[in-house]
C-alpha cells in the first residue's frame, strides 16, 4: 500500500479531548470526501479508542495519547491510537463484547465491538505496564462525481 | 446545556443534546440521576432528537439509567433515535431492552 498523506497528533488524556480527537481525524479525512455515514463510523471508532486510553490506559493519571492517521491508495485509511498506560493482559478477552473491567456499571464493554463493526479491521497490540496501540482500518467507498 | 429535564406527573423526560461521549455522559448522568432520586417517577423518557453523535458511552448511559429505574420500580423509554445512534444501540441489544420508538 502506497501512502499518500498522513497526520500526527498528541494530547493529554483529558476527557475534553475526546471530541477534539475525533473531529481532528474527520477534518483530515475530509480530503477524501467520505460519505456522512463513513465519517460517523470513523468518528465513533476513534472516540472508542481514545476513550479507552483515558478511562483504562491512564485510569486515574494523566498521560499522553498519540493519534496517527494515514491515507493510502485506493481510498484506504488507517488511524492508530496509542497510549503508554497500564496495557491489556488478555487482548482476546478484552475484545469480547460485554467484557469490561470497569466496575461503576456505567460502561457497556462494547467499545471494541463498536470499533470492529464500524471499521474493516481492528488491530490491537499491548504490553502490560507499557501501553496499548489500536490500529483502525477502513476502505472508503468509491464516489462517482464530486461533492454529492 | 447538554440535557434539559422536564418533570411531569407521570414521567420525567430528559432531552439530550449535542455529542454523547464519556466526557459529556458524565454530566448528563449526574443531572438525570439527581432528578430520578428526588422525583422517583414511574417512567423516564430519554429523548435523542438533538443528539448529533454517540459512542458506546451513550449505551452505558442508557443501561445505567435502565438499572436505576428498575430499582425505583419504573421503566425507561428511548425516543427520537437517528440512524447513526440506532446503529450503535443495535450492537448492544439495547433496542430490545428499552422501549425504542422513532
Ligand atoms: N487502552 C487501554 N488500556 C488498558 N486497557 C484497555 C484499553 N482499552 C481497552 N482496555 C480493556 O479492554 C476492556 C474492553 O474495552 P471496551 O472498550 O470494549 O469496553 P469498555 O471500555 O470497558 O466499555 P465501553 O467502551 O462500552 O464504555 C476494558 O474494560 C479494559 O479492561
Ligand atoms: Mg471502551
Amino acid at each position: 500500500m502506497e501512502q499518500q498523506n498522513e497526520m500526527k497528533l498528541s494530547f493529554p488524556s483529558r476527557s475534553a479531548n475526546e471530541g477534539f480527537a475525533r473531529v481532528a481525524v474527520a477534518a483530515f479525512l475530509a480530503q477524501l470526501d467520505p460519505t456522512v455515514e463513513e465519517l460517523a463510523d470513523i468518528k465513533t471508532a476513534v472516540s472508542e479508542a481514545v476513550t479507552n486510553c483515558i478511562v483504562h490506559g491512564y485510569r486515574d493519571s494523566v498521560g499522553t495519547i498519540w493519534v496517527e492517521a494515514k491515507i493510502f491508495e485506493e481510498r484506504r485509511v488507517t488511524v492508530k491510537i496509542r497510549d503508554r498506560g497500564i496495557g491489556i493482559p488478555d487482548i482476546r478477552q478484552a475484545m469480547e463484547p460485554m467484557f469490561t473491567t470497569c466496575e461503576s456499571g456505567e460502561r457497556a464493554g462494547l467499545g471494541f465491538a463498536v470499533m470492529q463493526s464500524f471499521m474493516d479491521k481492528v488491530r490491537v497490540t499491548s504490553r502490560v505496564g507499557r501501553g496499548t496501540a489500536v490500529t483502525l482500518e477502513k476502505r472508503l467507498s468509491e464516489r462517482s462525481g464530486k461533492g454529492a | 446545556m447538554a440535557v434539559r429535564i422536564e418533570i411531569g406527573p407521570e414521567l420525567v423526560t430528559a432531552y439530550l443534546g449535542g455529542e454523547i461521549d464519556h466526557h459529556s455522559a458524565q454530566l448528563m448522568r449526574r443531572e438525570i440521576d439527581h432528578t430520578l432520586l428526588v422525583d422517583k417517577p414511574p417512567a423516564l423518557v430519554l429523548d435523542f432528537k438533538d443528539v448529533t453523535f454517540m459512542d458506546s458511552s451513550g449505551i452505558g448511559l442508557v443501561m445505567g439509567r435502565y438499572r436505576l429505574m428498575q430499582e425505583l420500580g419504573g421503566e425507561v423509554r428511548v425516543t427520537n433515535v437517528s440512524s447513526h445512534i440506532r446503529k450503535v444501540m443495535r450492537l448492544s441489544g439495547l433496542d430490545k431492552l428499552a422501549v425504542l420508538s422513532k
Side-chain angles (χ1 to χ4, degrees):
Chain A
M1 284 203 299
E2 196 185 320
Q3 190 181 314
Q4 296 177 333
N5 202 356
E6 69 175 316
M7 72 90 165
K8 289 179 187 175
L9 286 175
S10 67
F11 48 86
S13 60
R14 301 193 185 283
S15 62
N17 287 328
E18 291 158 3
F20 163 71
R22 62 179 179 262
V23 169
V25 170
F28 174 69
L29 297 178
Q31 60 195 286
L32 292 174
D33 189 24
T35 65
V36 172
E37 192 180 356
E38 285 168 340
L39 216 49
D41 287 354
I42 294 170
K43 280 171 75 175
T44 311
V46 169
S47 193
E48 298 296 349
V50 170
T51 301
N52 279 351
C53 301
I54 295 170
V55 175
H56 307 295
Y58 294 120
R59 240 186 263 170
D60 303 314
S61 60
V62 175
T64 303
I65 298 171
W66 290 267
V67 174
E68 228 177 290
K70 292 179 179 172
I71 296 173
F72 296 92
E73 58 190 325
E74 295 182 323
R75 300 170 64 73
R76 282 176 210 276
V77 303
T78 62
V79 186
K80 184 173 176 180
I81 298 102
R82 191 163 60 83
D83 67 62
R84 284 202 188 132
I86 60 167
I88 303 174
D90 185 342
I91 296 174
R92 275 255 305 265
Q93 180 189 45
M95 293 180 80
E96 274 167 26
M98 314 294 254
F99 176 85
T100 180
T101 49
C102 174
E103 281 156 12
S104 72
E106 291 295 325
R107 315 225 65 85
L110 286 169
F112 279 124
V114 167
M115 292 184 243
Q116 284 178 309
S117 88
F118 287 12
M119 302 296 286
D120 296 338
K121 245 189 234 167
V122 179
R123 263 196 322 274
V124 183
T125 57
S126 189
R127 277 178 69 187
V128 173
R130 298 289 290 276
T132 302
V134 173
T135 307
L136 309 167
E137 193 179 321
K138 194 178 184 75
R139 186 175 173 186
L140 304 184
S141 58
E142 292 303 330
R143 301 204 78 176
S144 49
K146 284 245 155 177
Chain B
M1 270 279 274
V3 55
R4 183 168 58 81
I5 294 175
E6 217 172 76
I7 303 171
E10 297 293 318
L11 46 84
V12 163
T13 307
Y15 297 92
L16 310 174
E19 310 203 323
I20 304 182
D21 59 14
H22 155 250
H23 182 70
S24 64
Q26 292 174 330
L27 308 172
M28 294 177 178
R29 182 183 77 215
R30 225 169 287 149
E31 296 264 329
I32 295 167
D33 286 3
H34 178 76
T35 307
L36 295 184
L37 291 170
V38 171
D39 229 66
K40 301 190 170 56
L44 167 70
V45 178
L46 296 170
D47 190 314
F48 280 75
K49 182 169 157 289
D50 295 321
V51 175
T52 54
F53 172 87
M54 183 181 109
D55 66 19
S56 67
S57 303
I59 299 174
L61 182 74
V62 177
M63 284 184 17
R65 305 304 63 70
Y66 178 79
R67 229 171 272 134
L68 179 57
M69 283 304 289
Q70 271 195 323
E71 278 171 36
L72 298 173
E75 58 166 29
V76 177
R77 274 172 249 157
V78 175
T79 61
N80 288 317
V81 177
S82 73
S83 66
H84 162 68
I85 290 159
R86 189 170 291 265
K87 205 168 150 183
V88 180
M89 284 187 180
R90 222 178 263 137
L91 268 175
S92 64
L94 250 193
D95 49 333
K96 296 183 195 85
L97 198 69
V99 185
L100 212 78
S101 58
K102 274 265 164 178

